């Protein structure tokens, strides 16, 4: 994965810019690329963010995100997006778990990262986000559980502060810090508009429904609200929407098992490409797909 990302950047030095979200618990680089014709983040352009492998054993997600990365520069019909968007790609958010999952040449069905807590390895990275962390019976406080929500990060020496804001593996800590490091808009991801009417309004609901319908039409997956699949808390979707006011979609790839053969890579990549283009196209104003335009003022907040 790292080699592919580095080769891709080297082949397109003016359009592909390597960045890092920081390092994992075991010290691996959380590598990513920004694709755009701007040498540095152009915060006046909408951003879109593709990430893979919250969960270690979901290796196919790395392949599909890498494929999306390549397609953006190989498909001439999306060249306009290179010039009008900031496209951020992080193929793996869980390199430690991924490496552990393939140690010894066999698969270990490992889901979590490799950060120990009370002598037990692993936090579920998709239960560890700070927005309403552990709120709702959708994660576990037991480090032996597959959906262990992780330890509380105590930032304040006096022990003060809202524990729910400090939840975090190092991987998540870096993501939470990213906007501060960039001194800019929350995350370089602006597939979003912060609308004055509030974020739980009917326009947002309708926008998610319409996004799901459009993505279902091309990819064929069932489109549903995450909580209709099952309840989770501290997950990516809630954090992106609830804390950062973005419009997240989680794609559960097909493969019939955690370890589909490599023959699945091309087909799953192909079926997800139209969705990837679609979210980039609407990143300037997601609500436009339900007829609600975005004011310039709102976009820059
Ligand atoms: O449980 C998860 O983290 C995701 N499924 S997975 O099989 N990849 O582990 C689903 C997360 C979506 N959010 C909710 N269902 N609330
Ligand atoms: Zn998963």
């Amino acid at each position: 994965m790292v080699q592919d990302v580095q080769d891709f950047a080297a082949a397109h030095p003016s359009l592909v810019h390597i960045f890092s979200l920081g390092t994992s618990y075991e010290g691996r680089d959380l590598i990513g690329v920004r694709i755009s014709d701007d040498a540095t983040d152009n915060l006046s352009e909408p951003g879109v963010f593709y990430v893979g492998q919250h969960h270690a054993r979901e290796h196919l997600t790395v392949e599909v995100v890498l494929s999306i990365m390549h397609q953006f520069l190989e498909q001439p019909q999306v060249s306009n997006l290179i010039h009008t968007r900031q496209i951020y790609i992080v193929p793996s958010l869980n390199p430690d778990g991924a490496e552990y999952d393939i140690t010894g040449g066999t698969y270990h069905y490992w889901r979590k990262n490799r950060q120990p807590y009370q002598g037990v390895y692993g936090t579920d990275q998709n239960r560890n986000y700070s927005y309403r962390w552990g709120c709702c019976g959708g994660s576990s406080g037991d480090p032996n559980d597959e959906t262990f929500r992780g330890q509380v990060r105590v930032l304040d020496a006096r022990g003060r502060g809202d524990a729910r804001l400090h939840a975090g593996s190092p991987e998540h800590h870096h993501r939470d810090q990213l906007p501060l490091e960039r001194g800019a808009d929350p995350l370089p991801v602006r597939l979003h508009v912060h609308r004055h009417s509030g974020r739980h309004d009917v326009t947002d609901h309708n926008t998610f429904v319409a996004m799901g319908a459009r993505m279902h039409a091309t990819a064929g997956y069932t489109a549903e609200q995450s909580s209709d699949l099952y309840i989770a808390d501290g997950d990516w979707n809630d954090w992106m929407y609830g804390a950062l006011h973005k419009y997240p979609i989680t794609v559960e790839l097909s493969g019939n098992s955690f370890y589909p053969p490599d023959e699945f890579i091309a087909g799953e990549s192909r079926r997800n490409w139209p969705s990837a283009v679609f979210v980039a196209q609407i990143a300037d104003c997601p609500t436009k797909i339900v007829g609600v335009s975005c004011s310039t003022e709102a976009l820059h907040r």
Side-chain angles (χ1 to χ4, degrees):
M1 178 196 81
V2 171
Q3 192 68 56
D4 191 29
V5 168
Q6 290 176 342
D7 290 350
F8 181 68
H12 309 280
S14 62
L15 297 176
V16 178
H17 316 273
I18 288 185
F19 66 89
S20 174
L21 289 181
T23 50
S24 65
Y25 178 79
E26 292 180 346
R28 294 185 177 85
D29 188 26
L30 300 171
I31 193 172
V33 291
R34 182 175 55 86
I35 306 176
S36 93
D37 61 347
D38 300 294
T40 57
D41 295 73
N42 179 350
L43 297 176
S44 71
E45 287 185 354
V48 58
F49 195 11
Y50 306 87
V51 302
Q53 203 168 37
H54 272 83
H55 295 137
R57 61 197 172 193
E58 296 167 23
H59 300 278
L60 186 57
T61 64
V62 179
E63 304 295 341
V64 171
V65 173
L66 285 172
S67 168
I68 288 169
M69 175 185 84
H70 284 281
Q71 295 295 300
F72 269 114
L73 288 187
E74 285 166 13
Q75 301 286 347
Q77 64 269 32
V78 296
S79 64
N80 65 312
L81 293 171
I82 308 302
H83 301 287
T84 59
R85 300 286 183 271
Q86 305 290 304
I87 300 165
Y88 298 89
I89 295 175
V90 177
S92 177
L93 289 172
N94 190 359
D96 296 351
E99 286 295 329
Y100 174 73
D101 193 51
I102 58 172
T103 49
T106 58
Y107 293 124
H108 297 270
Y109 290 87
W110 192 255
R111 170 179 171 94
K112 300 184 283 183
N113 71 5
R114 293 294 292 169
Q115 181 179 21
Y117 180 67
Q118 295 178 349
V120 182
Y121 283 94
T123 286
D124 183 343
Q125 299 205 132
N126 207 30
R127 298 295 182 278
N128 182 246
Y129 288 98
S130 52
Y131 181 74
R132 302 200 67 189
W133 177 76
C135 71
C136 304
S139 61
S140 174
D142 177 354
N144 291 293
D145 199 283
E146 283 282 72
T147 59
F148 177 49
R149 70 180 70 96
Q151 67 183 98
V152 172
R153 175 184 296 276
V154 179
L155 296 178
D156 185 328
R158 288 158 298 188
R160 292 200 310 234
D162 181 354
R164 291 167 300 176
L165 296 177
H166 306 324
S169 61
E171 292 85 342
H172 286 180
H173 178 65
H174 292 304
R175 267 169 283 160
D176 285 348
Q177 293 307 306
L178 196 56
L180 302 177
E181 287 167 6
R182 289 174 182 251
D185 201 14
L187 274 179
V189 183
R190 276 151 291 118
L191 177 58
H192 119 89
V193 176
H194 185 177
R195 300 176 61 259
H196 58 83
S197 51
R199 59 184 186 265
H200 297 291
D201 69 11
V202 70
T203 299
D204 283 347
H205 176 86
N206 292 344
T207 300
F208 279 115
V209 171
M211 287 174 71
R214 276 287 297 271
M215 295 167 82
H216 164 78
T218 52
Y221 305 116
T222 301
E224 62 185 348
Q225 187 161 341
S226 290
S227 53
D228 288 343
L229 179 65
Y230 48 77
I231 299 291
D233 49 44
D235 83 348
W236 165 267
N237 287 347
D238 283 358
W239 180 64
M240 287 300 273
Y241 181 66
L244 302 180
H245 316 143
K246 315 301 182 190
Y247 288 78
I249 293 277
T250 294
V251 179
E252 300 283 357
L253 299 179
S254 121
N256 303 326
S257 80
F258 284 117
Y259 304 109
D262 59 4
E263 285 78 12
F264 275 72
I265 296 172
E268 284 300 290
S269 296
R270 203 178 309 115
R271 73 188 286 190
N272 281 281
W273 173 239
S275 295
V277 174
F278 167 68
V279 295
Q281 285 170 335
I282 68 169
D284 60 323
C285 178
T287 60
K288 72 185 181 184
I289 63 174
V290 295
V292 178
S293 63
C294 303
S295 72
T296 307
E297 185 196 10
L299 264 176
H300 288 251
R301 281 171 60 178

